[in-house]
Amino acid sequence: MPLAACGGGGGAGNSPPIEPTPVFVQARINVVELGGACTDPSWDCLRVGGLFIDEAAEVTVFWHERAPSGQPGWHVASHLHNDTRMRNAAYVSADLDSDLQPLQLGARRFAAVQRNTPNWTSALVDLSMPAPNVSPRVATPVTGQDAALISGLDGPIALGANVPNGSFSLGGSATARGVKVALPQGYLNRWWGVFMPATGVTPSVWWAFNSAQVDSTQEQRLHLARIDVSDGSVLDVHRVTKEAWSQSSIPDCSTLGGAPVLVREYGRGQVAVGWRNVNAPWTGCDVVVDGQIMNDSTAHVVEGPVMSGSDAGLVAVWSETDLAGDPAPPRRIVWRRWDASTAQWTAPARLNSQPFAWLHSSAIGPGGTLAVAWQGCASTSVGACTEYVSKYVDGQWRTEQYLPRGKGVAWPQVAINAKAQAVVVWASISDAPCSTNPEQVCPGIFAYRF
């Protein structure tokens, strides 16, 4: 099982900053028109919770509405290219909790899994017919945050210590397969696991886990293994970290999205593991890919890593600030590419040209594509920021501005398909009056394709 080659820290020189190209065309998706008007004028009234774009460029968005009237809870709708209306709008669940994992099943069908219940519950959302259908939620045999539900092999698979073996319902006609995972012999104190399908060595799944080996040190270290999904056995355990694993709340070195590590398969049988860890002087965070520190020693990594790749190589993206600086050090989005042909990383290069930049969200697609939503700011003042989207295709970045400066967004999400068509969806204050109250201006859901 070959791992991602770390190569050297050198390679090509710095690439020039990518200058954003202003584009202001928007495809409007307005939640207010659905009847469950969000009359709370705050952005938190709406939250985008799931986004997909298929090969026909049809966009499907799940959002959560915290409305004092109408239908609070989870909603779903789809959107066709060159259309200004939503279609197949449906009400998914009245649950006010915002913990939802939509899972794409194919043929415009989705499992809407809620993990905040004692047994995870799921409903089948079928948008393949003119009249969308949402099946009643069913209780699954999956429990606890230690489990994970993934797709990408021959259907959805639930993995974890609290997952029973065998098939179970996700609602309607959709089923998933449970695979119980046990800690391999010689390891103890497993805290969590991150999973990803292994397409080059099927039927198996990559598993990154934090554990102590049964030895005299019993230090917590990060390991990578494969799971045989036919019987749940653990294969090919490798140690990823060279030093004892540490995570500290001061500084906070949790990764983008709250996951402790990121596992990415960038070629058939090739996998990379990325994470953030406290740097040696305990003055900030480093971003690490397969044991190699990616950032400069004078930088503190704030967000990331985000990774994607193919047989040609790997790309890693993160945001960082200077360790020194008062009152607000510059903040930049940085990327590096690992070239499989030379087994070397390029030098760090900036994605943004503004003094301050923040990563919002990311999505990976087939063939090494990557999409990120981010914010570039001229200063730390309110209204000084502009929203951007970038996608990485065939080794090149394309960046576009999708909102003018000062137009705020909340919960932006991105998605990208096999044809490298991408979309960003966000919540924002609508330009039109509320359908329920013309005297008010209410939040809405918007989309921009790039």
Side-chain angles (χ1 to χ4, degrees), residues 16-71:
I18 307 298
E19 296 292 340
T21 302
V23 178
F24 296 98
V25 178
Q26 298 176 30
R28 181 176 178 179
I29 301 178
N30 196 339
V31 174
V32 177
E33 301 299 324
L34 298 182
C38 200
T39 56
D40 186 338
S42 69
W43 292 344
D44 287 341
C45 182
L46 297 175
R47 176 172 181 167
V48 178
L51 180 65
F52 305 89
I53 180 169
D54 62 21
E55 292 192 15
E58 180 165 357
V59 173
T60 300
V61 56
F62 289 79
W63 74 90
H64 187 265
E65 185 172 321
R66 183 180 54 81
S69 61
Q71 286 186 306

Side-chain angles (χ1 to χ4, degrees), residues 341-407:
S341 63
T342 63
Q344 286 189 322
W345 285 96
T346 61
R350 287 180 58 170
L351 183 62
N352 67 293
S353 57
Q354 301 82 2
F356 304 92
W358 281 261
L359 278 171
H360 282 320
S361 63
S362 64
I364 61 170
T369 57
L370 173 68
V372 293
W374 56 280
Q375 185 180 68
C377 306
S379 69
T380 57
S381 301
V382 175
C385 298
T386 304
E387 305 300 326
Y388 297 93
V389 283
S390 299
K391 62 181 178 182
Y392 183 81
V393 181
D394 296 329
Q396 300 292 324
W397 284 102
R398 173 187 171 185
T399 296
E400 297 181 8
Q401 176 181 328
Y402 69 94
L403 275 179
R405 179 178 294 182
K407 183 70 173 179

Side-chain angles (χ1 to χ4, degrees), residues 63 85 97 133 150 155 164 169 199 205 261-262 268 276 283 305 307 316 342 348 361 366 389-390 448:
W63 74 90
R85 300 168 299 168
D97 194 289
N133 179 67
I150 66 172
S169 174
T199 59
V205 172
V261 296
L262 185 67
R268 297 185 65 84
R276 283 170 42 209
T283 55
M307 298 192 305
T342 63
S361 63
V389 283
S390 299
Y448 172 69

Side-chain angles (χ1 to χ4, degrees), residues 56-363:
E58 180 165 357
V59 173
T60 300
V61 56
F62 289 79
W63 74 90
H64 187 265
E65 185 172 321
R66 183 180 54 81
S69 61
Q71 286 186 306
W74 283 100
H75 301 252
V76 64
S78 59
H79 181 258
L80 294 175
H81 194 38
N82 295 324
D83 196 347
T84 58
R85 300 168 299 168
M86 282 209 289
R87 60 199 298 264
N88 293 325
Y91 189 50
V92 178
S93 168
D95 198 321
L96 295 180
D97 194 289
S98 57
D99 185 10
L100 181 81
Q101 180 188 354
L103 194 69
Q104 194 167 23
L105 303 177
R108 298 175 62 204
R109 297 162 72 244
F110 302 85
V113 182
Q114 291 183 280
R115 301 179 300 172
N116 59 318
T117 50
N119 284 81
W120 292 8
T121 60
S122 177
L124 175 64
V125 178
D126 190 344
L127 304 181
S128 63
M129 304 297 290
N133 179 67
V134 179
S135 67
R137 287 192 294 171
V138 299
T140 76
V142 183
T143 62
Q145 295 298 315
D146 193 33
L149 187 63
I150 66 172
S151 59
L153 296 174
D154 56 353
I157 296 180
L159 303 109
N162 300 320
V163 176
N165 292 316
S167 178
F168 60 89
S169 174
L170 288 175
S173 59
T175 60
R177 181 158 45 115
V179 178
K180 191 176 185 64
V181 179
L183 198 64
Q185 187 175 3
Y187 297 81
L188 48 85
N189 299 331
R190 177 171 58 88
W191 288 2
W192 39 253
V194 178
F195 305 96
M196 183 179 185
T199 59
V201 278
T202 55
S204 60
V205 172
W206 300 111
W207 179 34
F209 63 92
N210 180 27
S211 178
Q213 289 183 267
V214 181
D215 56 21
S216 59
T217 63
Q218 295 191 0
E219 293 176 326
Q220 290 287 333
R221 297 176 184 268
L222 179 63
H223 298 85
L224 180 69
R226 282 193 301 118
I227 301 170
D228 187 333
V229 297
S230 63
D231 60 8
S233 59
V234 179
L235 312 170
D236 306 327
V237 181
H238 294 259
R239 177 181 292 181
V240 179
T241 54
K242 298 179 180 179
E243 299 177 357
W245 174 270
S246 63
Q247 259 190 315
S248 170
S249 58
I250 305 175
D252 183 4
C253 292
S254 59
T255 59
L256 183 67
V261 296
L262 185 67
V263 179
R264 285 289 180 260
E265 188 180 68
Y266 64 94
R268 297 185 65 84
Q270 302 284 330
V271 65
V273 182
W275 69 94
R276 283 170 42 209
N277 208 9
V278 178
N279 61 21
W282 288 80
T283 55
C285 301
D286 291 327
V287 64
V288 185
V289 176
D290 285 353
Q292 176 171 326
I293 296 175
M294 305 293 291
N295 55 283
D296 185 85
S297 60
T298 62
H300 161 54
V301 174
V302 184
E303 298 161 317
V306 175
M307 298 192 305
S308 184
S310 64
D311 290 330
L314 183 73
V315 60
V317 184
W318 66 91
S319 72
E320 64 180 34
T321 66
D322 295 333
L323 281 173
D326 186 46
R331 183 163 172 156
R332 53 199 169 267
I333 298 175
V334 183
W335 66 284
R336 297 180 72 176
R337 182 175 63 87
W338 183 77
D339 190 332
S341 63
T342 63
Q344 286 189 322
W345 285 96
T346 61
R350 287 180 58 170
L351 183 62
N352 67 293
S353 57
Q354 301 82 2
F356 304 92
W358 281 261
L359 278 171
H360 282 320
S361 63
S362 64

